[in-house]
């Protein structure tokens, strides 16, 4: 064991609270929520009461202003349990930080307290039916008309899409300016002309509400522009490393847990009159996966440590996301194999984790896009 050094005693106390909450408030219901396609909405307000949402939000706006380690603990505990229906990470680590980092005091005052309490669930809508990886090609437009923007377009695959009360929409305020024409707008879900599509039927993460969103002449007050017009693409590039670190954190936590479930299983399960753990193939697989887990854990923890001091650069965050999610999927595939046919049964956590993990290599920028980011940094002049 290599001792972890990224968390304090306070962090670990917080972890205990999160862990107990998940045991009592989520474990008994998650399978049912998978059937319903979304978690119970009260889970958000319960989490708010417990102080699990937006730990970094500033004190001036009702937050605790804690470090990112608290977000990481929530991500780890959700990763460890495989309760992937819970969209707190998207809210706390990804969407709300845009309001914290680029919002006006009025916007923060209007929304942050309710984001912290779970009364307002957030989403971020970048991807469109026609474009995902190529963000600057979004076709949703926001045309200024007096004191409003008129928003038209559609988005897809949006996490928290059904529960969302407030969506950060990536739109073109100048369709001819490429990346320089991209802006971010805070759009309230009850705005006339804003419609949520059906909850999408996914291969995994079945309790997570993921939706299409439609904007038909939605009048968004000009004061809901987030940051400056035309700066949206830059803001996205600045915030994506934290999103990618969160994905890496959940990936390694889930991989470690899955390896633990597999160790338990192979000790119990017998074949040819012997425990599956007695076969050399099993032992070698476990040893290889455990060694890789150790290396990955050290790397991701070091990235987290760098992020505490705002030193995690874009390419390193991309490396963390690429390596941790590729490894998570590889490990889960091996662990399913060691479970035999039971590994393919939905009632087994390993089967769910295997299905849930696949998207980790696709969202938050595909792993191919991570390779582009890393190689661009390597090949740049000077
Ligand atoms: C469950 C789920 C939740 C999601 N949540 C959100 C969310 O909350 N908000 C949001 O905005 N989006 C979300 N997404 C969307 C996700 O970010 C996109 O699916 C992803 O960015 C890929 O975009 P795409 O699907 O359009 O694939 P495409 O961009 O069409 O890519 C198709 C393939 O081409 C490859 N490719 C593309 N460009 C290049 C290139 N230049 N070089 C090499 N290969 C390339 C890709 O890597 C991929 O393998 C979610 C998706 C899923 C499935």
């Amino acid at each position: 064991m290599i001792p972890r050094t990224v968390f304090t005693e306070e962090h670990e106390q917080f972890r205990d609270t999160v862990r107990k909450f998940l045991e009592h408030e989520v474990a008994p219901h998650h399978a049912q929520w998978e059937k319903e396609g979304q978690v119970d909405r009260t889970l958000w307000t319960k989490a708010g009461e417990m102080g699990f949402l937006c730990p970094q939000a500033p004190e001036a706006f009702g937050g605790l202003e804690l470090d990112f380690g608290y977000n990481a603990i929530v991500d780890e505990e959700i990763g460890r349990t495989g309760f992937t229906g819970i969209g707190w990470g998207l809210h706390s680590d990804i969407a709300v930080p845009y309001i914290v980092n680029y919002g006006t005091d009025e916007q923060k005052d209007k929304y942050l307290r309710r984001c912290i309490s779970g009364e307002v669930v957030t989403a971020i809508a970048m991807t469109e039916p026609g474009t995902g990886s190529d963000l600057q090609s979004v076709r949703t437009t926001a045309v200024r008309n007096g004191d409003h923007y008129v928003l038209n377009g559609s988005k897809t695959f949006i996490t928290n899409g059904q529960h969302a009360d407030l969506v950060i929409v990536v739109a073109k305020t100048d369709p001819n300016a490429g990346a320089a024409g991209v802006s971010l707008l805070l759009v309230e879900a009850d705005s006339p002309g804003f419609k949520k599509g059906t909850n999408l039927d996914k291969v995994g993460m079945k309790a997570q509400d993921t939706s299409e969103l439609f904007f038909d002449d939605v009048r968004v007050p000009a004061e809901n522009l987030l940051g400056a017009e035309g700066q949206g693409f830059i803001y996205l590039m600045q915030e994506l490393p934290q999103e990618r670190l969160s994905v890496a954190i959940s990936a390694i936590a889930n991989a470690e847990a899955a390896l633990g479930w597999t160790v338990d299983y192979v000790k119990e399960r017998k074949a040819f009159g012997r425990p599956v753990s007695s076969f050399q193939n099993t032992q070698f697989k476990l040893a290889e996966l455990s060694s890789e887990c150790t290396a990955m854990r050290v790397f991701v923890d070091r990235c987290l440590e760098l992020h505490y001091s705002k030193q995690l650069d874009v390419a390193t965050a991309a490396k963390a996301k690429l390596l941790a999610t590729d490894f998570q999927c590889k490990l889960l595939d091996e662990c399913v194999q060691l479970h035999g046919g039971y590994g393919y049964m939905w009632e087994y956590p390993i089967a769910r984790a295997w299905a849930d993990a696949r998207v980790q290599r696709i969202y938050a920028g595909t792993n191919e896009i991570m390779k582009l980011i890393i190689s661009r940094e390597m090949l740049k002049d000077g």
Side-chain angles (χ1 to χ4, degrees), residues 9-24 50 52 73 77 80:
E9 220 168 281
E10 287 76 27
H11 284 125
E12 293 302 340
Q13 283 163 5
F14 179 72
R15 183 193 300 282
D16 272 354
T17 318
V18 176
R19 198 170 275 195
K20 287 198 182 94
F21 181 89
L22 295 180
E23 266 167 37
H24 294 118
M50 298 297 292
F52 297 162
I73 282 172
E77 289 307 303
R80 193 183 64 77

Side-chain angles (χ1 to χ4, degrees), residues 44-280:
W44 283 91
T45 38
K46 285 181 187 169
E49 279 165 27
M50 298 297 292
F52 297 162
L53 303 178
C54 319
Q56 294 175 290
E59 277 178 11
F61 299 96
L64 295 170
E65 214 165 318
L66 297 168
D67 59 64
F68 187 75
Y70 291 86
N71 301 53
I73 282 172
V74 174
D75 297 338
E76 285 188 5
E77 289 307 303
I78 293 173
R80 193 183 64 77
T81 51
F83 295 145
T84 50
I86 307 172
W88 303 338
L90 188 285
H91 177 77
S92 303
D93 306 359
I94 299 166
V96 173
Y98 283 93
I99 306 176
V100 171
N101 294 334
Y102 310 108
T104 60
D105 280 355
E106 289 71 27
Q107 289 167 343
K108 291 178 192 174
D109 199 41
K110 187 168 180 195
Y111 296 117
L112 283 184
R113 281 182 190 77
R114 290 185 291 148
C115 291
I116 296 164
S117 70
E119 198 185 326
V120 165
V121 172
T122 58
I124 177 155
M126 301 178 250
T127 307
E128 300 182 352
T131 191
S133 302
D134 184 10
L135 255 181
Q136 52 183 293
S137 297
V138 294
R139 297 181 63 181
T140 298
T141 52
V143 177
R144 184 75 188 245
N145 182 356
D147 57 359
H148 281 75
Y149 287 93
V150 181
L151 185 66
N152 277 292
S154 64
K155 300 286 179 180
T156 193
F157 307 146
I158 306 307
T159 301
N160 295 340
Q162 295 290 310
H163 283 315
D165 304 290
L166 182 68
V167 181
I168 299 170
V169 178
V170 177
K172 285 269 174 76
T173 40
D174 183 351
N176 301 317
V182 173
S183 301
L184 307 183
L185 291 173
L186 288 163
V187 183
E188 297 185 7
D190 58 4
S191 309
F194 178 178
K195 278 200 205 74
K196 294 175 179 175
T198 51
N199 201 357
L200 296 169
D201 189 12
K202 302 185 296 302
V203 168
M205 300 185 83
K206 288 185 174 291
Q208 164 56 228
D209 51 311
T210 311
S211 311
E212 286 180 297
L213 304 176
F214 303 100
F215 308 99
D216 183 12
D217 281 338
V218 180
R219 285 171 65 79
V220 183
E223 68 256 24
N224 280 26
L225 177 73
L226 196 50
E229 208 178 90
Q231 296 295 301
F233 197 75
I234 293 170
Y235 300 152
L236 290 166
M237 295 306 112
Q238 282 165 352
E239 293 303 305
L240 284 171
Q242 178 160 302
E243 173 170 357
R244 289 168 185 156
L245 176 63
S246 298
V247 172
I249 287 168
S250 74
I252 178 65
N254 181 249
E256 285 171 344
L259 190 56
W261 306 332
T262 306
V263 167
D264 292 344
Y265 183 81
V266 296
K267 285 204 261 183
E268 285 283 316
R269 177 75 180 168
K270 290 205 170 56
F272 296 91
R274 304 157 50 181
V276 170
S277 60
S278 70
F279 300 121
Q280 193 186 49

